[in-house]
Amino acid sequence: MYILLTGCGGFIGFHLTLKLLKENKKIKIIGIDNLNSYYSKKLKDERIKILKKNSRFNFLKFDLINKKKLSNVFKKYNFKYVVHLAAQAGVRYSFSNPQKYLNSNISAFSNVIELCRTNGVKNFFFASSSSIYGNQRNFPIKEETQPEPVSFYGATKYSNEIIAYSYSNNYFFQCTALRFFTVYGPYGRPDMALYKFVDLIKKNKKIDVFNYGNHMRDFSYIDDIVNAVTKIIKYRLKITNKKNFMTFNLAKGRSQKLINFIKEIELNLKTKARINNIKFQRGDVLKTHADISKLKRHTNFKAKIDIKEGIKNFIEWHNSYHKSK
């Protein structure tokens, strides 16, 4: 049984691939990633190197904009389902490089979902984001909340959902939007706050803290998130001829102040952070806090890792990873 997983060289894609291969010995995963240079290619190469140790994983390096090449992959394998996680990430980067988001998050997405349709794929799972919600006033945020994205990145992810909604209802196959909230953990992205903060604090350099640390985020540990995704996949594969389009918040379900996140890093590193406070930035949202009752109701999901354990795990990995380089 073949599964297509795009973005396998990314943070969530890497961990999800490992999880799926471990949970189901009958599946073989075809992973696609262009391994772009948005952040450390060395880290992406390291993830792929680990995945390749499993004989049931086959890696293909190319850009999903290449529809002809992607079409050949669909024709070669009869995919049981497709998990599309490949995308251009980053909220602030989207303001200066909108074309990259149009290519990766709109055009490439359209190629994947269209080839799912024409090749008879019955289940399409794809990465959305908490960024689609924008600045909300009522918390926790339910899936039914009207999206109001304030960043171009968020707008592209919401566009994906609209496209998928239309496809699922017009062509009668199941599309599932995975709305990820701030995910962190080992092998995480170097452009994300945790990685940057740990790096800079270790080097006794100042860290840029936006909105004076008053941002609040639903920090979600990677193991909990990939566990939630696998549960959603199992749930959706059991459903036929109904609920063609569904959305799920994937999060811890608890909001924490950024400054408290930083304090936990300081405790683990036994070092006081040198902080450069910066005012609220364009494209930022003040708070994210997910209502995960829908996820719990359908999958019995329960987040297990709090930020104390999660940050400790990340720093242990960070120490080990950089010591070996």
Side-chain angles (χ1 to χ4, degrees):
M1 179 170 65
Y2 286 99
I3 309 302
L4 174 61
L5 198 152
T6 71
C8 58
F11 173 39
I12 298 176
F14 163 68
H15 282 279
L16 181 59
T17 302
L18 286 176
K19 178 77 170 176
L20 289 170
L21 288 170
K22 182 179 179 181
E23 281 199 346
N24 190 341
K25 305 298 182 183
K26 295 180 180 180
I27 69 169
K28 294 181 180 180
I29 294 180
I30 307 301
I32 299 176
D33 202 300
N34 65 1
L35 301 179
N36 68 25
S37 58
Y38 171 63
Y39 64 82
S40 172
K41 191 172 179 295
K42 289 183 179 179
L43 181 57
K44 296 176 183 178
D45 288 338
E46 182 69 20
R47 293 171 182 150
I48 297 298
K49 182 180 177 181
I50 293 170
L51 293 177
K52 283 183 175 179
K53 291 178 181 179
N54 192 308
S55 61
R56 291 182 289 114
F57 173 76
N58 184 21
F59 176 61
L60 303 174
K61 181 185 176 183
F62 67 91
D63 198 306
L64 297 171
I65 286 293
N66 190 334
K67 190 176 181 180
K68 183 176 180 180
K69 197 166 187 176
L70 182 60
S71 179
N72 290 335
V73 174
F74 270 86
K75 289 175 182 177
K76 184 176 181 179
Y77 302 99
N78 181 25
F79 293 121
K80 173 71 174 177
Y81 59 87
V82 169
V83 182
H84 178 55
L85 303 183
Q88 177 58 59
V91 169
R92 294 186 182 93
Y93 189 64
S94 70
F95 287 105
S96 56
N97 297 273
Q99 188 61 49
K100 290 183 182 293
Y101 291 78
L102 287 170
N103 291 341
S104 296
N105 299 6
I106 302 296
S107 297
F109 178 89
S110 298
N111 286 345
V112 177
I113 196 170
E114 171 64 4
L115 287 169
C116 283
R117 179 186 75 84
T118 57
N119 287 274
V121 175
K122 299 301 182 184
N123 272 279
F124 176 59
F125 302 89
F126 66 97
S128 187
S129 169
S130 62
S131 293
I132 71 165
Y133 291 119
N135 277 304
Q136 297 290 334
R137 295 180 179 178
N138 298 315
F139 298 95
I141 302 170
K142 296 178 180 291
E143 285 87 352
E144 295 76 20
T145 300
Q146 176 61 42
E148 296 177 359
V150 295
S151 69
F152 189 65
Y153 167 72
T156 62
K157 302 308 277 184
Y158 185 36
S159 296
N160 291 166
E161 292 198 13
I162 295 170
I163 292 168
Y165 178 83
S166 179
Y167 261 76
S168 65
N169 283 282
N170 284 298
Y171 302 116
F172 309 106
F173 69 98
Q174 291 186 161
C175 295
T176 308
L178 308 168
R179 294 176 176 174
F180 295 114
F181 283 65
T182 312
V183 186
Y184 72 100
Y187 286 94
R189 282 167 35 202
D191 63 310
M192 295 293 282
L194 178 57
Y195 205 124
K196 288 195 296 186
F197 289 168
V198 170
D199 255 355
L200 292 170
I201 293 172
K202 278 185 173 184
K203 295 171 183 175
N204 196 33
K205 293 183 178 181
K206 285 188 175 183
I207 61 173
D208 290 338
V209 178
F210 296 99
N211 196 34
Y212 308 97
N214 291 316
H215 278 133
M216 296 188 73
R217 293 290 181 267
D218 199 329
F219 294 105
S220 313
Y221 191 67
I222 185 63
D223 289 3
D224 285 333
I225 294 304
V226 296
N227 182 42
V229 174
T230 57
K231 285 179 175 292
I232 289 170
I233 290 172
K234 289 175 183 175
Y235 165 69
R236 292 290 273 160
L237 291 179
K238 292 178 183 178
I239 297 175
T240 56
N241 299 322
K242 62 178 181 179
K243 294 185 179 178
N244 287 330
F245 180 81
M246 290 188 77
T247 60
F248 287 96
N249 287 336
L250 282 88
K252 171 74 173 175
R254 181 181 178 188
S255 195
Q256 301 268 0
K257 266 195 175 184
L258 180 60
I259 197 65
N260 294 333
F261 198 69
I262 294 169
K263 288 177 180 177
E264 198 60 43
I265 296 171
E266 291 175 327
L267 286 173
N268 277 271
L269 293 178
K270 297 181 175 59
T271 305
K272 189 73 175 174
R274 298 175 62 209
I275 294 176
N276 179 34
N277 281 306
I278 299 175
K279 64 182 181 180
F280 197 86
Q281 296 290 292
R282 178 178 61 154
D284 276 347
V285 297
L286 182 60
K287 179 179 180 179
T288 65
H289 180 193
D291 183 320
I292 58 171
S293 58
K294 181 178 179 181
L295 177 63
K296 290 179 177 179
R297 185 168 68 252
H298 290 293
T299 70
N300 295 316
F301 168 78
K302 184 178 180 181
K304 297 179 180 179
I305 309 297
D306 60 20
I307 64 166
K308 288 187 177 182
E309 184 178 355
I311 290 174
K312 178 177 178 291
N313 291 345
F314 174 82
I315 291 175
E316 287 177 353
W317 167 80
H318 187 277
N319 291 338
S320 175
Y321 179 74
H322 286 276
K323 186 177 181 180
S324 65
K325 300 302 168 187

